[in-house]
Every structure is written in structure tokens, then in C-alpha cells.
Amino acid sequence: DGFTELERRCRIEIAQRLRMARQAAFPLRLLVGGFSVRVQDACCSIESDRRRILSSIAKTPEQEPPLESAHYDEANWRLRAAFAQVGWAKGGGGEPSAEGLHAVAAADHATDWGWDISFWHDLADHHLERLISAIPPHARTLRLRCFGTHLDMDAALASLGAHLPRRLERLQLDLSWCSRLGDEGLAALAARLPQELRRLGLDLHRCENLGDRGVAALSARLPGQLQHLQLSCSGCSRLSD
């Protein structure tokens, strides 16, 4: 399409900032209300529709909906986590919402989790640390995109390794163009990779402080059950041929 990789990613930044501006107008009181949502308490203009929807969620389509159900709990956790992920830093800047982070930390039933903090220039290292500490312990899939971040990714990867769920099966990290990622961070992450991990994707394109020692540490600590590895280290000038 005639665009370089950096130009394509800059278009993503523009789209993200437009989304942030749109989300900034969302009333905070409604957002906070989403952190305590309970589908079983929801109202509907037609009562029969409410019962049918709840019966479907509870997986009892031929019966009256139960008052409580484990399936309600699962739906509630997913909804609360969705609100939290959108609202933790409302508008894309400033301190993360305390309510949002509490909801993230409580949403330990989530199995598919992800953040994209690319181009969020107002973020500080302690923001990322708080997000990492809120990773649900039961997550099976984790995706983190930090393209071009100015944050201390050596410290972030050490923290991420300490908080990776033990039963994690898939980990996808886009750390390309991270100027503060080096051998220590990659080695710290490699040392804590879960043994049940089956798929690992690492985009380290243009991480110019990354060298042979970090990649060797990763190679030595790959989990025995790993079935798929996708590793990109193009443009890492400190790596030997």
C-alpha cells in the first residue's frame, strides 16, 4: 500500500487518539456503575424478553431463569472487566481510575486478557506496574501491545514474569521500537514463563538495546510444552548474525 511499517502504525495512533477523544465524553458515573453490573438485576421493557435472555445466559432455555447462576457470575465478570479496560485511564491520560483497577483486580474469572498502551505518552512506569499486577490469575491468553513506548520495559517484563498466571497457554507481546528494553528484561521474563505455555509470540523489532544475551536466555528457558514460537528481532542492531 506504499506505507512503511512505521507509517502504518502511526495511522493506528491517530485512530486511537480519535477513539480516546470520543470515550472521554462518556459520563464517569455511568462508567463506574458498570463496575458493579449484575445481569440478573437488569430490567427490560418486555418482561418475557428479560426472562428469555436470562434463561439463555443461565443455559436453561426451557425453564424459568434461576435467581442466581454461575453463568450469571461469568457474564458479570466479563462485563465488569470490559468496563474496566475501557475506563482505567479515561480519555487515555492521567491516573488510572481506582474503581477501574479494582474491577480489573477482581475480575479473576477472565481467561482472555489484553492491553494496548501503544502511543499513550502520558503513561508512567507505575501505571504499567499497576496494570500488570491486576492480571487475572486464571487467564489462559494474554496479549500486551507496547509498541514505541518510552517506559522502562526491563522492569515491566520482570514484573510481568512475576505475575504471569501459572496455567497461561498463550502469550503475545508486541514490544517493537521499545528503546528501554534490553537483555535484563527479556531474561527476567524468560525465567518465569509458565510451563504450560503452548504459544508464544514476541515482536522485538527495533529494540536496539537488546543483544545476544537476552535472546540466549529466552532460548534456554522455553517451556517444554511450547508448540508455537513466533519471534521477530529484525532491526536489533546489537544482535550478532
Side-chain angles (χ1 to χ4, degrees):
D1 57 7
F3 291 97
T4 66
E5 179 182 358
L6 182 58
E7 289 169 339
R8 283 195 298 272
R9 300 206 181 198
C10 285
R11 288 192 294 173
I12 296 174
E13 177 182 7
I14 293 172
Q16 286 179 329
R17 291 195 175 275
L18 289 173
R19 182 191 64 191
M20 291 173 187
R22 171 174 51 82
Q23 292 177 345
F26 194 83
L28 184 59
R29 62 180 180 82
L30 296 180
L31 189 62
V32 172
F35 301 148
S36 58
V37 66
R38 282 168 47 93
V39 294
Q40 59 267 52
D41 296 337
C43 298
C44 191
S45 57
I46 301 176
E47 177 60 22
S48 59
D49 287 345
R50 187 190 72 85
R51 293 198 302 269
R52 185 164 56 251
I53 291 170
L54 289 179
S55 293
S56 178
I57 294 174
K59 301 188 184 302
T60 57
E62 304 300 325
Q63 306 172 29
E64 281 293 303
L67 294 177
E68 299 292 338
S69 166
H71 297 294
Y72 294 162
D73 294 338
E74 177 71 18
N76 290 334
W77 287 123
R78 289 181 179 276
L79 286 170
R80 293 170 192 172
F83 275 105
Q85 289 185 74
V86 170
W88 74 273
K90 187 173 177 289
E95 288 290 329
S97 153
E99 294 89 349
L101 284 172
H102 290 164
V104 171
D108 62 357
H109 286 64
T111 58
D112 190 330
W113 205 251
W115 297 100
D116 186 347
I117 60 169
S118 305
F119 304 109
W120 284 31
H121 303 300
D122 293 331
L123 288 183
D125 290 326
H126 69 276
H127 292 155
L128 183 55
E129 168 61 30
R130 291 177 70 184
L131 288 174
I132 290 173
S133 68
I135 293 173
H138 298 293
R140 297 296 184 90
T141 296
L142 180 63
R143 301 175 309 280
L144 181 61
R145 189 170 185 268
C146 303
F147 168 79
T149 182
H150 64 286
L151 301 178
D152 182 355
M153 293 309 297
D154 277 347
L157 288 189
S159 178
L160 179 62
H163 288 91
L164 286 176
R166 290 188 301 172
R167 300 186 65 186
L168 190 70
E169 297 178 354
R170 180 174 182 177
L171 177 62
Q172 187 74 36
L173 301 179
D174 182 351
L175 306 171
S176 52
W177 294 84
C178 288
S179 60
R180 298 176 65 190
L181 170 61
D183 293 336
E184 289 186 8
L186 189 58
L189 175 67
R192 305 296 291 269
L193 290 174
Q195 290 305 302
E196 294 190 21
L197 194 68
R198 287 173 169 76
R199 300 181 66 88
L200 174 62
L202 291 173
D203 188 346
L204 305 172
H205 176 71
R206 290 288 182 181
C207 292
E208 297 185 351
N209 286 318
L210 184 65
D212 294 338
R213 186 166 61 88
V215 175
L218 173 66
S219 177
R221 302 301 293 268
L222 291 175
Q225 297 190 46
L226 194 69
Q227 299 173 355
H228 178 82
L229 172 65
Q230 183 176 4
L231 178 65
S232 172
C233 296
S234 60
C236 296
S237 56
R238 292 183 55 204
L239 285 176
S240 62
D241 297 335

